[in-house]
C-alpha cells in the first residue's frame, strides 16, 4: 500500500525539476564559487511546502478510499524525503566529482531541510495554519540568515556536515514521532476541517483598501529586499518571477471587477521594485551587499599580476593592489604609465573583462619596490574609501562608486521587469492566438533559459552575474561623468516598465489549474 | 433601444480548438436571457468576452456601446458578475471584501448590503475560506448586486448548490435586479432554473447560436416529431430540407425531428414532405428539447 501511495504522490511531479536545479546548483557552486544559496533556498521552499496544493488535492482523493491515515502520512513523508534527498545527493555527487568542495555542502542542505519538511507535515496534520505575519517572519529570518551567512562566508558556506547531520536526524526523528502520534487524533487524512474561530473584527484601513490585493506580496518584498541588502543583487532576480506566478492565481478574483489593469500593475510591481532598490541602496551603503557573488567589495592584496585571480599570469614577491572591479578603468587607446613622485614607473597590463579592455590603475609589477606598492595602495584607498590609508588597514569593505550604484539601481529595476516579461507574455491575448508549436517553442525556450543561466559558467560565461557584468560594462563604456549613467538608469527601467505594462494591459487570466470557488470544500 | 451587450460574428479559439465560431447575440436593457449549451459549447468564453476578461479573435463586442477590452473599467463598473469557478480572496473576511467593493463602486447600496447580509445570515467577520460553498456564492452575489449593476452576468451561478440554496440564490438575483430594469445574462445546465427565470433562451452549440427564442414561444412553437425508422425515409438529409427543421437525429428505432411550429402543423408538414402518416408530434419541456437539439445519435 505504501509503495502504491508513494508512486502516486504529487511530489514526483516536481521531482525532475529539483534534480535539475540542484545539479545546476552544484555546477554553479563549482564554477561561480558561491551560488550555494540557490539550492539552499529551493530546498527550504521544497521542504516547507512540499508541493502543498498538489498534496491537498491528492490527499482529498485518497481520503475517499479505504486507506489507513498512517499509511497516507508515511507515504507522504517518504515522498518528501525523496524530494529532498535524491536531488541533494545528486548535487553532492556532482560536486564530489568536480572536486573542489566535495559532497559536504549539499549533504548539509539535505540535512537542514529534513526537519523543516517534517515540521511542515506536522503542522499540516495538526491543522495549524500559521498567521501570515508569523510565516513572513519565519521565512524572512531563514532567508536573512542565509544571506548573512553568504556575506560572512564568501564562497560555499562551510557547514560541519557530521554534527549537522546528527542533530538533523535526532530532531527529525522526534518530529516524526510527534506527527505519527498525531495522525490518528487529527486530520481526517486531508480533508481540511472548518474550525470554529473566534471572529476577529479587522479594521479596514480606509485610505488603502489595496492591502487586500497585495498583502500576500509582503513576504516576497521582505525576502527580495533582504537578498539585495545582504548579497549581490543578481541573486534576488532569480526569485522575482515567483511574484507574478503567485499573484496571477491569487488575484484572479479581481478580473471581473472594475480595477484598472494599469493601476493593478503598479500595485504589483512598485512595492517589489522599491524593496529591491531599497535593499540594494542600503546594502551597498553599509557594505553588506558584496561586489560580485561571494566577493567582498574591498581593496585586496595578492602576489599575482592582475585581476581576476584566475587570470594571474605569474606570482612574485611584490604585493599587487587590486581595487574592486568598478574602480578599474577602461583602456581607451594606450594605457597611461603610472609614475611615482620619485620617478618609479609601471604600465599596468590590459585585461579583457566582459568584452571590454580595462586596466587596474593601482597595479604594481613584480619589479616594483615595496614603496611603490605602498604609494599605490594609498592612492587606491583614497579613491575607494575617500581617504588615504596604510596597507595595514587592508580588508575594509568599500562602498561602490556612485556611478556603479546608479547603474546597478537601473539594472535592478530593468532586469526585474525583464524577468516578468515572459510570464506576462504567456498571458498576452495574442500569445494564445499563436499556433501551438510556436507557443510551446517560446515557452520551452524561456524555461530552458533557467538552467542555462546556471550552466553558463561552465562555458566561461557570466551566468547569473550577467546582469551585473552588463552594468559594469556600461559603466566602463560610458563617458566618465554622471549625466549619462543617470539618464540610462532612468531610461532603461522606464522603457522596460512601459513594454511590460503595455502587455499586461492585454492579458487574459485563464486558470492554469481549475480552481474551485472559494469556501470550504467539505 | 440600444442593447447593453452585443456580440457580432464573435470568433474565439484556444490554440487550434475553435470555441466560438461567429456568434451573434444582443441583450437589451431589462431582458433576462438564459444561455444554455453542452459542456464546452463556449458559454463561459462568451460571457467572459462580454466582460472583457477574454479577447475575441474575430468579430466585435460592445458592452454598453463600448469595447469591453478597450474600456474594461468603465464597462465593469456597470456589471455584476458571479461565476461557478469564481475565486474570492480566501484570506480576507467578508467585511474586508465588501469594503473593497464599496471602494470600487461609488454607487454601492449600503441598505441592500445590510438586507442581504441578514437574508443570507452571513457573519461579516467570517473569513472567506471558512465559508461553505453556498455561503461563498452568496457573498459573491452580494458583491455583484449591491452596486445596482445595469447588467448582471451569471455563469453557472448555482452550479454545485443544493436545490434550496439554488432556488434562493436565483430568486434573489432576479427579484432584486430585474424589477429595476437590470438586464440579466446567465448560463446554466439546469433547465429548471432557466424555465423558472423565464425570459429568453439562447442555445449555443458548436460555437454558434443554434436557437434564440423567447421561452413562451419556445414552449408553444417548437416540437419534436418522431418518425418510425421502419418508414421508408431515404436519409436524414431529406428531413433536414423540410422548412422549419432544426435538427434530425436517430434515437434507437425513431427519427427525432425538432421542428418549428405547432404539433399539428408539424405533423402535417412532415406527412406531406415524406409521404408518411405514422408520425407522432409532441411539444417538449426545455430539458428534453435541449437533449434533442444537442444530444448525439443512439
Amino acid at each position: 500500500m505504501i509503495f502504491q501511495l508513494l508512486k502516486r504522490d504529487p511530489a514526483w511531479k516536481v521531482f525532475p525539476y529539483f534534480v535539475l536545479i540542484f545539479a545546476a546548483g552544484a555546477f554553479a557552486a563549482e564554477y561561480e564559487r558561491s551560488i550555494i544559496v540557490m539550492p539552499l533556498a529551493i530546498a527550504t521552499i521544497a521542504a516547507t511546502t512540499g508541493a502543498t496544493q498538489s498534496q491537498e488535492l491528492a490527499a482529498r482523493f485518497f481520503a475517499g478510499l479505504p486507506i489507513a491515515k498512517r499509511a497516507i502520512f508515511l507515504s507522504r513523508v517518504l515522498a518528501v524525503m525523496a524530494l529532498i534527498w535524491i536531488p541533494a545527493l545528486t548535487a553532492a555527487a556532482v560536486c564530489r566529482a568536480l572536486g573542489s568542495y566535495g559532497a559536504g555542502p549539499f549533504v548539509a542542505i539535505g540535512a537542514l531541510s529534513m526537519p523543516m519538511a517534517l515540521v511542515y507535515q506536522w503542522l499540516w496534520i495538526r491543522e495549524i495554519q500559521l498567521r501570515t505575519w508569523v510565516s513572513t517572519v519565519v521565512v524572512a529570518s531563514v532567508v536573512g540568515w542565509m544571506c548573512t551567512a553568504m556575506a560572512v562566508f564568501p564562497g560555499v558556506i562551510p557547514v560541519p556536515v557530521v554534527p549537522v547531520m546528527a542533530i538533523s536526524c535526532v530532531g527529525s526523528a522526534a518530529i516524526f514521532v510527534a506527527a505519527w502520534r498525531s495522525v490518528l487524533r487529527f486530520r481526517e487524512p486531508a480533508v481540511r476541517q472548518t474550525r470554529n474561530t473566534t471572529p476577529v473584527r479587522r479594521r479596514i484601513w480606509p485610505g488603502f483598501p489595496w492591502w487586500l490585493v497585495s498583502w500576500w506580496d509582503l513576504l516576497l518584498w521582505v525576502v527580495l529586499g533582504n537578498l539585495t541588502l545582504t548579497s549581490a543583487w543578481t541573486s534576488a532576480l532569480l526569485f522575482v518571477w515567483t511574484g507574478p506566478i503567485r499573484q496571477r492565481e491569487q488575484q484572479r478574483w479581481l478580473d471581473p471587477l472594475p480595477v484598472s489593469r494599469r493601476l493593478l500593475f503598479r500595485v504589483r510591481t512598485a512595492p517589489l521594485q522599491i524593496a529591491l532598490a531599497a535593499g540594494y541602496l542600503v546594502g551597498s551603503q553599509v557594505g553588506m551587499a558584496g561586489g560580485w557573488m561571494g566577493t567582498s567589495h574591498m581593496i585586496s592584496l595578492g602576489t599575482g599580476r592582475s585581476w581576476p585571480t584566475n587570470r594571474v599570469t605569474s606570482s612574485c614577491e611584490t604585493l599587487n593592489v587590486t581595487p574592486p572591479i568598478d574602480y578599474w578603468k577602461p583602456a581607451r587607446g594606450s594605457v597611461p604609465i603610472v609614475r611615482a613622485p620619485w620617478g618609479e614607473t609601471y604600465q599596468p597590463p590590459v585585461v579583457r573583462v566582459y568584452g571590454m579592455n580595462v586596466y587596474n590603475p593601482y597595479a604594481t609589477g613584480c619589479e616594483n619596490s615595496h614603496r611603490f606598492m605602498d604609494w599605490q595602495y594609498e592612492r587606491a584607498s583614497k579613491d575607494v574609501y575617500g581617504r588615504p590609508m596604510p596597507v595595514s588597514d587592508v580588508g575594509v569593505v568599500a562602498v561602490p562608486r556612485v556611478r556603479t550604484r546608479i547603474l546597478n539601481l537601473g539594472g535592478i529595476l530593468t532586469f526585474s521587469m525583464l524577468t516578468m516579461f515572459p510570464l506576462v507574455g504567456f498571458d498576452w491575448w495574442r500569445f494564445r492566438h499563436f499556433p501551438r508549436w510556436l507557443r510551446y517553442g517560446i515557452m520551452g525556450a524561456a524555461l530552458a533559459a533557467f538552467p542555462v543561466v546556471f550552466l553558463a559558467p561552465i562555458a566561461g560565461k557570466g551566468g547569473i552575474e550577467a546582469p551585473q557584468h552588463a552594468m559594469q560594462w556600461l559603466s566602463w563604456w560610458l563617458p566618465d561623468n554622471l549625466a549619462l549613467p543617470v539618464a540610462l538608469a532612468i531610461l532603461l527601467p522606464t522603457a522596460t516598465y512601459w513594454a511590460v505594462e503595455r502587455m499586461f494591459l492585454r492579458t487574459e487570466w485563464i486558470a492554469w489549474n481549475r480552481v474551485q470557488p472559494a469556501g470550504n470544500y467539505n | 433601444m440600444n442593447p447593453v451587450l452585443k456580440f457580432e460574428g464573435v470568433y474565439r479559439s484556444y490554440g487550434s480548438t475553435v470555441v466560438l465560431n461567429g456568434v451573434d447575440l444582443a441583450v437589451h436593457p431589462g431582458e433576462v436571457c438564459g444561455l444554455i449549451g453542452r459542456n464546452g459549447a463556449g458559454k463561459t468564453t462568451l460571457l467572459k468576452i462580454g466582460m472583457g476578461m477574454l479577447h475575441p479573435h474575430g468579430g466585435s463586442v460592445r458592452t454598453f456601446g463600448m469595447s469591453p477590452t478597450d474600456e474594461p473599467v468603465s464597462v465593469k463598473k456597470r456589471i455584476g458578475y458571479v461565476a461557478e469557478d469564481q475565486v474570492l480572496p480566501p484570506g480576507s473576511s467578508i467585511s474586508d471584501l465588501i469594503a473593497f467593493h464599496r471602494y470600487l463602486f461609488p454607487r454601492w447600496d449600503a441598505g441592500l448590503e445590510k438586507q442581504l447580509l441578514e437574508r443570507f445570515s452571513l457573519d461579516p467577520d467570517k473569513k472567506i475560506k471558512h465559508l461553505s460553498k453556498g455561503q461563498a456564492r452568496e457573498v459573491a452575489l452580494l458583491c455583484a448586486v449591491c452596486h445596482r449593476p445595469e447588467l448582471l452576468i451569471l455563469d453557472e451561478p448555482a452550479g454545485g448548490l443544493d436545490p434550496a440554496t439554488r432556488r434562493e440564490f436565483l430568486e434573489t438575483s432576479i427579484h432584486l435586479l430585474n424589477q429595476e430594469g437590470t438586464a440579466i445574462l446567465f448560463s446554466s445546465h439546469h433547465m429548471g432554473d432557466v424555465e423558472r427565470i423565464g425570459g429568453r433562451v439562447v442555445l449555443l452549440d458548436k460555437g454558434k447560436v443554434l436557437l434564440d427564442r423567447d421561452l413562451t414561444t419556445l414552449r408553444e412553437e417548437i416540437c419534436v416529431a418522431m418518425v418510425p425508422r421502419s418508414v421508408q425515409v431515404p436519409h436524414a438529409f431529406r428531413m433536414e430540407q423540410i422548412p422549419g427543421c432544426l435538427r434530425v437525429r436517430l434515437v434507437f428505432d425513431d427519427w427525432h425531428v425538432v421542428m418549428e411550429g405547432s404539433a399539428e402543423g408539424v405533423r402535417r408538414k412532415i406527412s406531406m414532405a415524406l409521404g408518411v402518416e405514422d408520425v407522432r408530434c409532441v411539444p417538449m419541456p426545455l430539458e428534453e428539447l435541449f437533449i434533442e437539439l444537442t444530444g448525439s445519435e443512439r
Side-chain angles (χ1 to χ4, degrees):
Chain A
M1 175 56 73
I2 301 288
F3 179 64
Q4 291 297 326
L5 292 172
L6 192 58
K7 273 200 309 186
R8 289 165 176 79
D9 196 278
W12 300 112
K13 282 187 178 176
V14 289
F15 177 74
Y17 303 104
F18 278 86
V19 172
L20 192 69
I21 291 169
F22 266 80
F27 280 107
E30 180 65 24
Y31 288 92
E32 299 255 358
R33 309 265 163 189
S34 65
I35 191 58
I36 207 87
V37 70
M38 181 63 194
L40 187 58
I42 289 168
T44 310
I45 295 162
T48 49
T49 60
T52 319
Q53 195 181 11
S54 314
Q55 178 180 4
E56 284 281 348
L57 293 172
R60 209 179 302 157
F61 170 71
F62 290 141
L65 302 175
I67 304 171
K69 291 177 189 177
R70 279 183 169 164
I72 295 174
F73 171 68
L74 194 57
S75 69
R76 181 66 202 165
V77 168
L78 288 172
V80 171
M81 288 301 120
L83 187 71
I84 292 169
W85 278 111
I86 297 177
L89 291 177
T90 307
V94 171
C95 251
R96 190 181 170 83
L98 293 174
S100 291
Y101 297 111
F106 281 94
V107 173
I109 287 171
L112 288 169
S113 305
M114 193 163 58
M116 283 194 277
L118 286 169
V119 165
Y120 177 79
Q121 293 299 320
W122 181 74
L123 290 175
W124 190 64
I125 287 166
R126 298 287 301 257
E127 300 169 48
I128 295 171
Q129 291 176 13
L130 294 180
R131 285 184 174 275
T132 310
W133 69 267
V134 177
S135 317
T136 304
V137 168
V138 169
V139 176
S141 309
V142 170
V143 174
W145 173 82
M146 286 193 302
C147 295
T148 311
M150 282 279 293
V152 174
F153 302 108
V156 174
I157 299 169
V159 183
V161 178
V162 176
V164 166
M165 194 68 192
I167 293 167
S168 161
C169 287
V170 172
S172 301
I175 299 162
F176 179 82
V177 171
W180 182 258
R181 291 171 68 179
S182 303
V183 170
L184 295 179
R185 280 187 293 127
F186 284 89
R187 180 166 285 273
E188 277 302 315
V191 179
R192 194 175 285 278
Q193 299 288 326
T194 304
R195 292 187 302 159
N196 290 327
T197 52
T198 314
V200 180
R201 184 166 287 279
R202 198 198 297 271
R203 286 177 86 106
I204 305 292
W205 191 6
F208 189 69
W210 286 104
W211 72 266
L212 192 63
V213 176
S214 53
W215 68 276
W216 275 92
D217 297 334
L218 183 65
L219 176 66
L220 186 68
W221 304 339
V222 171
V223 169
L224 292 183
N226 216 332
L227 275 172
T228 48
L229 178 78
T230 53
S231 66
W233 55 268
T234 44
S235 57
L237 293 179
L238 289 169
F239 300 96
V240 166
W241 59 271
T242 57
I245 283 188
R246 198 197 40 69
Q247 285 161 341
R248 186 187 185 280
E249 290 303 307
Q250 292 287 344
Q251 295 176 0
R252 234 164 31 90
W253 64 278
L254 289 171
D255 205 15
L257 296 177
V259 175
S260 153
R261 281 288 173 94
R262 186 167 276 124
L263 183 60
L264 184 60
F265 190 65
R266 282 177 206 156
V267 169
R268 279 186 178 193
T269 53
L272 180 74
Q273 297 223 317
I274 290 169
L276 287 169
Y280 172 73
L281 286 177
V282 173
S284 59
Q285 189 61 40
V286 299
M288 285 180 81
W292 304 112
M293 303 295 289
T295 62
S296 295
H297 199 262
M298 62 172 78
I299 302 176
S300 62
L301 294 171
T303 52
R305 274 186 174 152
S306 56
W307 184 95
T309 47
N310 60 1
R311 294 173 198 228
V312 169
T313 49
S314 67
S315 176
C316 59
E317 289 301 314
T318 310
L319 287 169
N320 188 21
V321 179
T322 310
I325 193 71
D326 53 321
Y327 289 90
W328 288 46
K329 289 191 160 47
R332 295 191 175 95
S334 62
V335 175
I337 294 170
V338 182
R339 189 179 298 277
W342 60 93
E344 190 173 350
T345 60
Y346 180 63
Q347 185 168 30
V350 173
V351 181
R352 197 162 177 81
V353 183
Y354 321 140
M356 178 71 82
N357 289 332
V358 294
Y359 69 95
N360 172 8
Y362 309 107
T364 51
C366 287
E367 292 77 28
N368 287 117
S369 64
H370 279 275
R371 187 182 174 201
F372 184 80
M373 189 272 290
D374 286 342
W375 175 74
Q376 281 285 62
Y377 188 85
E378 277 189 19
R379 285 178 64 226
S381 58
K382 191 173 178 187
D383 190 10
V384 174
Y385 303 120
R387 61 192 168 90
M389 289 161 66
V391 175
S392 55
D393 285 355
V394 70
V396 177
V397 177
V399 173
R401 294 178 74 191
V402 174
R403 65 188 279 114
T404 307
R405 276 186 278 170
I406 290 169
L407 282 169
N408 276 349
L409 197 59
I412 289 170
L413 302 179
T414 304
F415 285 104
S416 63
M417 290 310 300
L418 284 176
T419 311
M420 292 183 198
F421 195 80
L423 296 168
V424 174
F426 293 155
D427 282 336
W428 188 41
W429 77 283
R430 284 191 193 280
F431 182 76
R432 295 183 190 282
H433 207 28
F434 292 166
R436 181 177 286 194
W437 65 268
L438 185 59
R439 278 185 292 142
Y440 284 6
I442 293 171
M443 288 169 88
L447 286 173
F450 200 61
V452 165
V453 163
F454 286 96
L455 297 174
I458 296 167
K461 304 295 179 192
I464 66 160
E465 290 180 0
Q468 215 167 350
H469 292 180
M471 288 297 116
Q472 183 57 60
W473 185 90
L474 262 181
S475 174
W476 284 326
W477 184 72
L478 292 171
D480 199 12
N481 60 41
L482 280 183
L484 273 172
V486 168
L488 265 183
I490 293 170
L491 188 69
L492 287 176
T494 309
T496 43
Y497 182 93
W498 178 82
V500 181
E501 189 200 55
R502 289 273 300 173
M503 196 172 264
F504 184 79
L505 296 180
R506 294 269 174 180
T507 50
E508 295 176 343
W509 298 350
I510 296 174
W512 286 334
N513 296 316
R514 189 90 176 152
V515 180
Q516 294 291 320
N520 178 22
Y521 307 120
N522 288 339
Chain B
M1 202 186 306
N2 288 331
V4 288
L5 181 59
K6 190 175 184 187
F7 299 96
E8 279 184 325
V10 169
Y11 173 89
R12 168 76 202 207
S13 65
Y14 295 102
S16 56
T17 311
V18 177
V19 178
L20 298 176
N21 192 7
V23 172
D24 293 299
L25 176 67
V27 180
H28 292 88
E31 195 171 26
V32 179
C33 183
L35 197 59
I36 57 175
R38 297 188 69 167
N39 291 329
K43 302 184 295 294
T44 299
T45 301
L46 189 70
L47 296 181
K48 286 191 171 177
I49 287 175
M51 286 283 293
M53 288 155 68
L54 291 176
H55 292 66
H57 290 166
S60 83
V61 185
R62 309 301 288 179
T63 311
F64 307 113
M66 297 177 275
S67 161
T69 49
D70 290 342
E71 297 173 74
V73 177
S74 310
V75 165
K76 286 174 187 171
K77 269 199 190 299
R78 298 163 70 178
I79 297 182
Y81 177 79
V82 182
E84 186 185 12
D85 66 347
Q86 192 167 1
V87 184
L88 299 175
S92 66
S93 65
I94 296 173
S95 60
D96 292 340
L97 190 63
I98 290 175
F100 187 69
H101 278 75
R102 210 181 290 133
Y103 162 81
L104 290 175
F105 297 99
R107 285 171 52 193
W108 188 261
D109 185 339
L112 182 59
E113 171 201 320
K114 197 173 168 219
Q115 185 190 329
L116 286 181
L117 280 173
E118 281 169 14
R119 180 166 177 172
F120 296 143
S121 307
L122 292 170
D123 174 5
D125 290 327
K126 211 163 187 182
K127 288 209 169 185
I128 302 288
K129 63 184 173 188
H130 292 145
L131 300 177
S132 69
K133 188 184 275 188
Q135 286 174 318
R137 209 69 60 78
E138 283 166 350
V139 172
L141 180 66
L142 184 151
C143 292
V145 300
C146 281
H147 62 281
R148 301 278 181 191
E150 293 165 61
L151 171 64
L152 182 64
I153 292 182
L154 306 170
D155 184 10
E156 283 288 343
L161 301 184
D162 66 72
T165 315
R166 202 167 72 222
R167 175 79 63 93
E168 167 87 1
F169 184 93
L170 289 169
E171 282 176 358
T172 307
S173 324
I174 303 308
H175 291 140
L176 276 175
L177 295 173
N178 198 234
Q179 286 170 348
E180 297 180 7
T182 299
I184 298 176
L185 176 60
F186 71 100
S187 74
S188 181
H189 285 303
H190 293 276
M191 298 304 137
D193 294 343
V194 178
E195 286 186 310
R196 191 174 306 116
I197 291 172
R200 181 175 151 205
V201 177
V202 175
L203 173 62
L204 213 55
D205 191 48
K206 295 180 183 127
K208 285 180 182 293
V209 174
L210 186 64
L211 189 76
D212 184 353
R213 293 282 197 291
D214 182 72
L215 188 60
T216 319
T217 318
L218 198 66
R219 282 186 186 130
E220 291 169 359
E221 293 184 6
I222 305 264
C223 64
V224 179
M226 279 150 277
V227 182
R229 201 178 177 186
S230 56
V231 173
Q232 292 302 308
V233 176
H235 39 67
F237 179 75
R238 176 104 175 261
M239 287 181 274
E240 283 167 357
Q241 296 303 304
I242 301 171
C245 176
L246 297 173
R247 183 156 193 238
V248 179
R249 72 175 189 136
L250 192 58
V251 181
F252 301 119
D253 292 333
D254 288 330
W255 291 101
H256 284 203
V257 188
V258 184
M259 296 277 292
E260 287 180 289
S262 63
E264 185 50 33
V266 166
R267 200 191 63 76
R268 221 176 305 124
K269 209 186 280 183
I270 291 180
S271 297
M272 281 174 66
L274 302 177
V276 292
E277 288 299 321
D278 191 12
V279 177
R280 284 175 297 132
C281 200
V282 286
M284 287 209 164
L286 190 59
E287 185 156 330
E288 294 300 316
L289 198 59
F290 176 79
I291 292 165
E292 290 296 344
L293 285 168
T294 62
S296 55
E297 296 201 341
R298 279 175 280 169

